[in-house]
């Protein structure tokens, strides 16, 4: 397992630029877990005692309305950290996280990370860069949900996927229609109508 964790951590953008010895230290302080699909990684309001890195699988981060409606904020895959925002402030997780398929996660405790930051600020700088990119993405999401109708939100999402997949004329959606509807903040029925009109 150690070799798989090492290779997994090396692929994490957050840890790029760290030496092999620094990565080994992160391995020593972290904890490995394997969760089946549909398992809770953390819930909104839980104490943020650290953050997770996805070694394999996929995790959705989402919010729930008072009526129980789910709004997916982001889908994360291998090499991406989740739950890292409260690590700096020592607060609670601001959203829910759940595995979408069998996933292997690496948990890094907050106390150990803060000690690591003091000794080597490069990891903190990497984390700030990732947080800045995510803030931009969340700003776009808020704009889409508050200012655009469903067809516009769908078009913006498809363009985002197209860019991520190299800008080709054909794109591959790797989420179900139900998940896509939750990402766009609409219902499956409304999404189906929009897809029919757009086709």
């Amino acid at each position: 397992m150690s070799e798989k964790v090492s290779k997994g951590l090396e692929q994490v953008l957050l840890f790029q630029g760290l030496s092999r010895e620094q990565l080994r230290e992160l391995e020593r302080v972290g904890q490995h877990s394997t969760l089946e699909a549909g398992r809770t990684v953390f819930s909104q309001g839980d104490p943020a005692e650290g953050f997770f890195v996805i070694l394999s699988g996929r995790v959705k981060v989402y919010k729930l309305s008072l009526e129980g409606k789910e709004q997916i904020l982001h889908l994360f895959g291998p090499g991406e950290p989740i739950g890292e925002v409260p690590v700096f402030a020592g607060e609670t997780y601001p959203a829910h996280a759940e595995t979408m398929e069998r996933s292997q996660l690496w948990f890094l405790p907050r106390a150990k990370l803060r000690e690591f930051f003091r000794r080597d600020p490069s990891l903190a700088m990497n984390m700030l860069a990732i947080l800045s990119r995510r803030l931009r993405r969340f700003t776009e999401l808020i704009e889409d949900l508050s200012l655009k109708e469903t067809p516009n939100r769908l078009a913006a999402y498809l363009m985002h996927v197209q860019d991520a997949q190299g800008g080709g004329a054909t794109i591959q959606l790797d989420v179900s229609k139900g998940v896509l509807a939750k990402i766009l903040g609409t219902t499956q029925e409304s999404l189906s109508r929009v897809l029919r009109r757009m086709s």
Side-chain angles (χ1 to χ4, degrees):
M1 177 57 65
S2 179
E3 183 179 349
K4 183 167 186 178
V5 170
S6 297
K7 289 184 178 178
L9 294 181
E10 286 175 2
Q11 303 305 313
V12 178
L13 186 62
L14 181 62
F15 302 145
Q16 288 184 0
L18 298 184
S19 68
R20 187 166 294 278
E21 179 55 40
Q22 289 170 318
L23 289 172
R24 274 199 289 265
E25 185 171 354
L26 286 175
E27 281 184 60
R28 286 194 291 269
V29 302
Q31 302 161 17
H32 178 266
S33 62
T34 300
L35 299 178
E36 299 300 325
R39 298 291 300 276
T40 298
V41 179
F42 54 78
S43 297
Q44 182 175 333
D46 287 349
E49 297 174 349
F51 76 96
F52 299 81
V53 172
I54 303 172
L55 299 177
S56 67
R58 207 154 44 143
V59 174
K60 66 177 178 180
V61 173
Y62 64 96
K63 299 276 279 187
L64 289 174
S65 70
L66 293 176
E67 297 78 26
K69 181 182 177 183
E70 182 180 300
Q71 172 64 57
I72 294 178
L73 302 176
H74 204 84
L75 302 178
F76 295 106
E80 295 188 281
I82 56 170
E84 74 283 6
V85 175
V87 168
F88 288 104
E91 299 173 350
T92 58
Y93 293 115
H96 304 276
E98 180 182 301
T99 54
M100 298 184 67
E101 56 192 59
R102 192 171 193 269
S103 303
Q104 294 191 55
L105 306 174
W106 191 253
F107 177 75
L108 293 159
R110 177 176 179 264
K112 296 288 186 182
L113 277 171
R114 289 174 72 89
E115 182 182 323
F116 194 94
F117 291 159
R118 280 193 291 269
R119 292 200 312 272
D120 189 337
S122 59
L123 179 59
M125 293 302 294
N126 286 359
M127 185 175 281
L128 285 172
I130 285 181
L131 292 178
S132 297
R133 284 194 291 272
R134 288 195 181 168
L135 179 59
R136 185 180 298 118
R137 176 68 189 125
F138 285 137
T139 302
E140 293 170 355
L141 174 64
I142 291 168
E143 179 184 347
D144 287 345
L145 292 176
S146 59
L147 301 178
K148 296 179 180 177
E149 298 297 326
T150 302
N152 303 82
R153 295 200 296 268
L154 175 58
Y157 178 82
L158 294 176
M159 290 174 67
H160 174 74
V161 173
Q162 184 183 41
D163 287 343
Q165 294 181 4
T170 302
I171 63 172
Q172 178 70 42
L173 289 178
D174 59 354
V175 295
S176 67
K177 190 162 64 175
V179 170
L180 180 55
K182 290 175 181 177
I183 291 173
L184 299 176
T186 188
T187 63
Q188 288 194 56
E189 293 77 14
S190 295
L191 178 58
S192 295
R193 287 194 293 271
V194 171
L195 285 169
R196 283 197 297 271
R197 288 203 301 271
M198 291 180 73
S199 65

